[in-house]
Amino acid sequence: MTLRKGEKMTISIQEHMAIDVCPGPIKPIKQISDYFPRFPRGLPAAVGRSSSALRPAVSQPSVSPAEAPREDDEDVDQLFGAYGTTPAEQPARSQAPEEVVDPEGYESDDCTTLGTLDFSLLYDQENNALHCTINKAKGLKPMDHNGLADPYVKLHLLPGASKANKLRTKTLRNTLNPTWNETLTYYGITDEDMIRKTLRISVCDEDKFRHNEFIGETRIPLKKLKPNQTKNFNICLEKQLPIDKTEDKSLEERGRILISLKYISQKQGLQVGIMRCAHLAAMDANGYSDPYVKIYLKPDEDKKSKHKTAVKKKTLNPEFNEEFFYEIKHGDLAKKTLEVTVWDYDIGKSNDFIGGVVLGINAKGERLKHWFDCLKNKDKKIERWHTLTNELPGAILSD
């Protein structure tokens, strides 16, 4: 193409958007947004601090994009994070901040590929509860034909993710910026769990006619939390991470149970409370169980120590709040063992054993400590969470 003298070459907007306008070979750009970084509420602090660096010392005539020197482009791109490089190319940007003070601030392309999630976590040490408040998400990836999504959030505790320890929010329709403001609570969380467990938070798109689709996730090691202190997070969602399949199956948990013990001096007996269970193993085809609890005080020569709770239908987190009384002298309790088992009720066939726990002088760890504290503190109600195991030494597991 030849130009007459004094005639300027024009470039269409399509050509300008499709090519890198720097001198040299024509190269396609990865994303148009690389040249148009987004600042929802003002410029990032880095730009404000560096504004003096961008301001020329001497006023110069304006230059068109096609004539701008490459060095200036690089300076601006570096400040704005505009190249969209991979984490390997820019190590400083490879990790999203664990906690963002101003969630309305600058968002890079890395963060907005899948979206960001705003939530908070609180470990209530006294009540052995983990409260997960899911606030909102921003800029989620469109999943439906209308360019929107039907998002919900689900939680799992790792290792051992299963339907038993899954919690989820309600689904919000046709939005990429959902606000839930929902608090989901895990009960029966111990200090040991806070050391070794990780909370997996996934954002998914609900689909009525197909399988629900995964959008993004994040994982928070619970050891990052301090007891009784709320920690706020605003984190970029990541692609699905693999779950470690090599974890020891012998450590698979069958659930948790909250038991209260109280020796009543006036009545000369032991009061046992079966309060609730959490994260029970699913025994039925529908992914749930119909649990109830049996307790024995052994040795039981007269076969009269058996007590049962009511059956709770279709749940993995039943609340019983039932108490049972054993008339026994305080001095004889040291020779006794309390056997607690959880069962799944089935009509027309044998009930399924879910898990159990044994408290007594021959137990170990928290089970022994619970029994000892009960013997030591008469007329004081002591509640403790215990982990259910899939077998009990010396127990006859039939109903």
Side-chain angles (χ1 to χ4, degrees), residues 4 12 18 30 32 34 65 77 96-97 106 113 177 180 186 209 238 259 269 286 295 307 309 348 350 357-358 388:
R4 298 178 183 176
S12 68
K30 292 182 180 179
I32 297 303
D34 288 349
D77 288 343
Y106 168 61
T113 302
N177 300 287
W180 289 282
Y186 282 105
F209 305 105
E238 303 177 74
I259 301 172
N286 61 8
I295 63 173
H307 289 291
T309 67
S350 298
V357 63
V358 173
L388 299 171

Side-chain angles (χ1 to χ4, degrees), residues 329-340:
K329 293 180 180 179
H330 184 267
D332 293 339
L333 273 180
K335 307 170 190 175
K336 295 288 187 177
T337 295
L338 182 67
E339 182 181 291
V340 182

Side-chain angles (χ1 to χ4, degrees), residues 72-248:
D72 290 348
D73 286 345
E74 291 177 350
D75 289 341
V76 174
D77 288 343
Q78 188 173 3
L79 284 167
F80 284 64
Y83 274 118
T85 53
T86 62
E89 294 170 320
Q90 289 192 358
R93 292 172 57 200
S94 62
Q95 294 183 350
E98 175 186 281
E99 184 173 349
V100 178
V101 178
D102 179 16
E104 300 296 334
Y106 168 61
E107 295 176 354
S108 69
D109 283 330
D110 293 340
C111 283
T112 55
T113 302
L114 300 174
T116 60
L117 183 65
D118 182 288
F119 61 96
S120 65
L121 302 176
L122 169 64
Y123 174 46
D124 182 352
Q125 191 175 36
E126 182 179 354
N127 296 309
N128 296 103
L130 176 65
H131 303 289
C132 312
T133 301
I134 308 300
N135 297 319
K136 61 183 178 179
K138 287 181 63 179
L140 293 180
K141 179 181 177 182
M143 304 299 291
D144 298 337
H145 295 301
N146 60 3
L148 299 172
D150 302 321
Y152 66 93
V153 177
K154 64 179 180 178
L155 311 180
H156 283 106
L157 284 175
L158 305 175
S162 66
K163 190 165 187 175
N165 66 35
K166 183 184 82 171
L167 300 176
R168 63 162 286 176
T169 66
K170 62 179 179 288
T171 301
L172 299 181
R173 302 290 176 186
N174 297 322
T175 178
L176 300 180
N177 300 287
T179 298
W180 289 282
N181 290 328
E182 276 190 60
T183 297
L184 308 174
T185 301
Y186 282 105
Y187 294 100
I189 301 298
T190 63
D191 290 343
E192 182 185 356
D193 292 326
M194 297 302 293
I195 294 173
R196 67 185 188 92
K197 294 276 190 179
T198 295
L199 180 65
R200 178 191 185 196
I201 306 177
S202 308
V203 182
C204 301
D205 171 61
E206 185 176 291
D207 199 313
K208 292 183 178 179
F209 305 105
R210 296 180 298 172
H211 290 296
N212 296 343
E213 295 180 286
F214 176 86
I215 298 177
E217 72 169 44
T218 187
R219 297 186 186 183
I220 306 296
L222 297 185
K223 60 185 177 182
K224 289 187 175 184
L225 305 180
K226 295 181 180 179
N228 307 313
Q229 292 185 21
T230 301
K231 192 171 181 66
N232 298 309
F233 298 87
N234 190 283
I235 294 183
C236 301
L237 296 173
E238 303 177 74
K239 295 179 180 178
Q240 194 161 15
L241 302 172
I243 296 177
D244 186 9
K245 299 293 184 181
T246 62
E247 61 186 70
D248 188 357

